[in-house]
């Protein structure tokens, strides 16, 4: 029998305990050995809940418990999660986590610590919730050179943009609706400003290329500037507005970005709506591979965590090497990236052509502004052109 401890009895932690209980027989078959939750760390007590008999309030009890072979971290945040995970690994215990902030910040260090102590550090649930993407990147796509990763990585923002598109609602109204339904946090900043997607694309890119990409170095733009007018223009173009986390090889460098984009029906992710996530990976041999599903939620995320528990149970005292070094990935300067741009300005067609050269006007019936799509230009050229006109908003156009 393999015994595990769970750090944090919140949404995901309670989901892990529930799955371990409800699917115990199936998990035993797939792991080849019975796995049992021995203890759950939380500051709170849960009278009336069967978990109460397993609750401990001091992490040291778990760290020093030689029976515990696997620690599940579902606390969230950086501290004390980092200190607890590091200490568990140094004690020879394997760790799995759903904590994207922890993985993005300390991934290479914790993987190295795991290797040094013949343990494992797994984090399938840190990106895409229940969507399997980490393991496929490490194993199924191992023979391929990854050319590009592009994904709708945040269910909250995808839900907001879908509702704005389908109902014609404004951003603030849809955000409130998303909060009322539990799709958005009370403080939605990490989602709507793109920070959540940024950490996820940083993790995926680091794994794809085996070197560290700091999320702070990724150009990140949220959806707070998207208006109902942008949505109407998108419809005129036969397009939808989606926010993407993306990275791709450009020569010997990598271009990484989080930003809203206009995509048409020819794009593989065009039909990914609501709270769903999808990740498109392009390999030099396998071509395009898409992963789709619920990117968040109690049971979806907990399921991914338990998949790591099973994997670690099969590899007690055997390190599964993950290629992710602390060496920094070399990024392409943003101003060299090329794209078409949908632009709205205070002005007319003549002003737009003088600034941007060849353009395609877009008419959605608004008399107080002029909208158009540029030819493909670099980010640097766009910035130069934008300085000579009054830009209301711009969205990159990726057909």
């Amino acid at each position: 029998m393999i015994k595990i401890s769970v750090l944090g009895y919140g949404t995901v932690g309670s989901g892990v305990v529930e799955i371990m209980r409800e699917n115990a027989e199936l998990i035993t078959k797939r792991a080849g050995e019975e796995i049992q939750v021995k203890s759950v760390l939380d500051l709170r007590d849960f009278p009336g809940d069967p978990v109460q008999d397993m609750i401990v309030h001091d992490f040291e009890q778990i760290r020093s418990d030689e029976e515990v072979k696997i620690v599940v971290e579902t606390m969230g945040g950086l501290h004390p999660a980092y200190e607890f995970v590091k200490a568990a690994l140094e004690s020879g215990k394997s760790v799995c986590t759903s904590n994207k902030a922890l993985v993005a910040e300390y991934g290479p260090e914790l993987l190295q610590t795991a290797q040094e102590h013949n343990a494992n550090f797994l984090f399938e649930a840190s990106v895409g919730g229940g969507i399997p993407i980490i393991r496929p990147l490490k194993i199924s796509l191992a023979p391929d050179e990854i050319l590009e990763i592009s994904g709708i990585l945040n269910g909250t923002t995808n839900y907001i943009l879908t509702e704005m598109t389908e109902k014609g609602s404004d951003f603030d109204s849809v955000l409130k609706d998303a909060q009322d339904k539990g799709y958005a946090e009370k403080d939605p900043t990490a989602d709507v400003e793109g920070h959540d997607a940024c950490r996820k694309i940083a993790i995926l890119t680091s794994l794809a290329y085996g070197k560290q990409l700091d999320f702070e170095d990724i150009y990140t733009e949220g959806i707070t500037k998207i208006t109902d007018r942008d949505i109407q223009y998108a419809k005129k173009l036969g397009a939808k507005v989606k926010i993407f986390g993306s990275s791709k090889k450009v020569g010997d460098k990598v271009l990484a970005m989080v930003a809203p984009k206009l995509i048409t029906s020819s794009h593989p992710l065009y039909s990914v709506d609501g709270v769903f996530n999808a990740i498109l990976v392009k390999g030099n041999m396998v071509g395009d591979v898409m992963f789709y599903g619920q990117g968040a939620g109690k049971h979806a995320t907990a399921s991914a965590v338990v998949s790591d528990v099973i994997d670690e149970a099969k590899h007690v005292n055997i390190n599964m090497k993950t290629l992710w070094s602390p060496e920094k990935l070399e990024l392409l300067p943003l101003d060299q990236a090329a794209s078409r741009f949908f632009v709205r300005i205070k002005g007319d067609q003549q002003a737009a052509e003088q600034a941007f050269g060849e353009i395609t006007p877009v008419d959605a019936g608004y008399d107080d502004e002029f909208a158009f799509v540029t030819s493909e230009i670099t980010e640097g050229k766009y910035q130069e052109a934008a300085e000579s006109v009054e830009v209301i908003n711009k969205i990159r156009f990726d057909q």
Side-chain angles (χ1 to χ4, degrees):
M1 178 186 291
I2 293 176
K3 295 189 178 181
I4 74 170
S5 291
V6 179
L7 310 185
Y9 195 63
T11 301
V12 179
S14 62
V16 169
V17 173
E18 183 182 338
I19 290 173
M20 294 296 299
R21 182 180 64 246
E22 294 292 325
N23 288 0
E25 187 177 339
L26 180 65
I27 290 167
T28 297
K29 285 179 182 176
R30 292 187 173 163
E33 191 170 353
E34 185 181 351
I35 304 174
Q36 183 184 86
V37 180
K38 181 179 181 182
S39 53
V40 176
L41 178 74
D42 206 288
L43 294 173
R44 303 162 294 174
D45 284 307
F46 299 88
D49 189 318
V51 80
Q52 181 59 40
D53 293 337
M54 296 184 278
I55 289 291
V56 299
H57 301 301
D58 183 1
F59 170 72
E60 183 57 30
Q61 283 183 249
I62 293 171
R63 192 202 65 77
S64 60
D65 189 339
E66 293 186 2
E67 283 192 336
V68 173
K69 301 298 182 187
I70 298 169
V71 172
V72 176
E73 188 279 306
T74 58
M75 300 163 57
L78 285 178
H79 305 287
Y82 163 72
E83 288 78 11
F84 288 175
V85 167
K86 177 114 174 168
L89 291 169
E90 289 173 340
S91 300
K93 304 179 193 300
S94 288
V95 176
C96 52
T97 182
S98 58
N99 189 338
K100 58 188 164 286
L102 176 72
V103 178
E105 185 76 32
Y106 296 109
E109 177 189 342
L110 295 173
L111 284 166
Q112 180 64 33
T113 303
Q115 187 174 349
E116 289 169 358
H117 293 85
N118 231 21
N120 288 292
F121 178 60
L122 300 181
F123 40 90
E124 182 62 68
S126 66
V127 178
I131 303 171
I133 180 63
I134 303 294
R135 201 170 280 108
L137 260 185
K138 287 167 54 178
I139 300 170
S140 306
L141 299 175
D144 278 62
E145 180 184 11
I146 303 301
L147 304 177
E148 186 172 352
I149 302 172
S150 184
I152 296 170
L153 299 172
N154 183 276
T156 300
T157 48
N158 200 39
Y159 174 81
I160 291 170
L161 292 172
T162 299
E163 290 291 293
M164 289 177 70
T165 299
E166 293 181 352
K167 297 181 179 176
S169 306
D170 64 274
F171 173 83
D172 290 333
S173 300
V174 178
L175 174 58
K176 185 178 184 307
D177 170 60
Q179 289 171 320
D180 291 342
K181 290 179 176 174
Y183 296 150
E185 301 286 345
K186 186 176 181 181
D187 180 1
T189 305
D191 293 324
V192 299
E193 295 293 356
H195 305 319
D196 175 80
C198 177
R199 284 178 168 83
K200 291 172 180 176
I201 197 63
I203 293 168
L204 293 177
T205 306
S206 297
L207 282 174
Y209 301 112
K211 296 180 181 179
Q212 171 71 0
L213 173 55
D214 292 335
F215 65 88
E216 298 97 336
D217 294 337
I218 299 173
Y219 174 81
T220 302
E221 190 179 307
I223 65 167
T224 54
K225 293 179 182 176
I226 303 297
T227 68
D228 47 351
R229 285 197 179 191
D230 293 312
I231 300 296
Q232 291 307 311
Y233 281 115
K235 289 179 178 178
K236 290 291 182 183
L237 289 163
K240 290 180 181 178
V241 183
K242 300 286 185 185
I243 181 168
F244 285 86
S246 59
S247 61
K248 66 178 178 180
K249 287 203 79 171
V250 182
D252 59 351
K253 297 183 176 66
V254 171
L255 170 64
M257 178 186 297
V258 174
K261 291 183 179 180
L262 284 164
I263 58 171
T264 62
S265 59
S266 61
H267 195 288
L269 304 187
Y270 179 82
S271 298
V272 179
D273 290 328
V275 295
F276 283 86
N277 286 191
I279 304 159
L280 186 68
V281 181
K282 181 175 299 211
N284 70 329
M285 294 298 168
V286 75
D288 289 347
V289 183
M290 190 167 93
F291 302 85
Y292 170 85
Q294 290 191 54
K298 175 177 179 174
H299 291 114
T301 305
S303 175
V305 173
V306 176
S307 77
D308 281 345
V309 171
I310 293 170
D311 207 3
E312 289 179 340
K314 291 177 177 178
H315 295 88
V316 174
N317 299 323
I318 303 170
N319 177 259
M320 298 177 282
K321 187 170 176 58
T322 297
L323 184 62
W324 181 353
S325 86
E327 182 184 348
K328 294 294 177 69
L329 200 59
E330 191 171 358
L331 286 175
L332 183 78
L334 182 66
D335 61 6
Q336 294 179 28
S339 175
R340 295 169 72 208
F341 292 85
F342 163 74
V343 189
R344 295 163 51 207
I345 65 169
K346 289 282 187 184
D348 56 19
Q349 183 166 346
Q350 183 179 356
E353 288 175 339
Q354 284 178 344
F356 290 91
E358 182 184 343
I359 62 165
T360 304
V362 186
D363 184 7
Y366 301 112
D367 297 329
D368 57 343
E369 63 184 59
F370 180 72
F372 56 94
V373 176
T374 70
S375 58
E376 185 172 281
I377 56 176
T378 64
E379 295 274 344
K381 291 291 184 185
Y382 168 82
Q383 289 297 339
E384 286 178 21
E387 287 174 5
S388 62
V389 290
E390 185 180 347
V391 174
I392 300 168
N393 200 13
K394 63 101 170 42
I395 308 172
R396 292 161 186 85
F397 197 173
D398 182 3
Q399 285 182 295

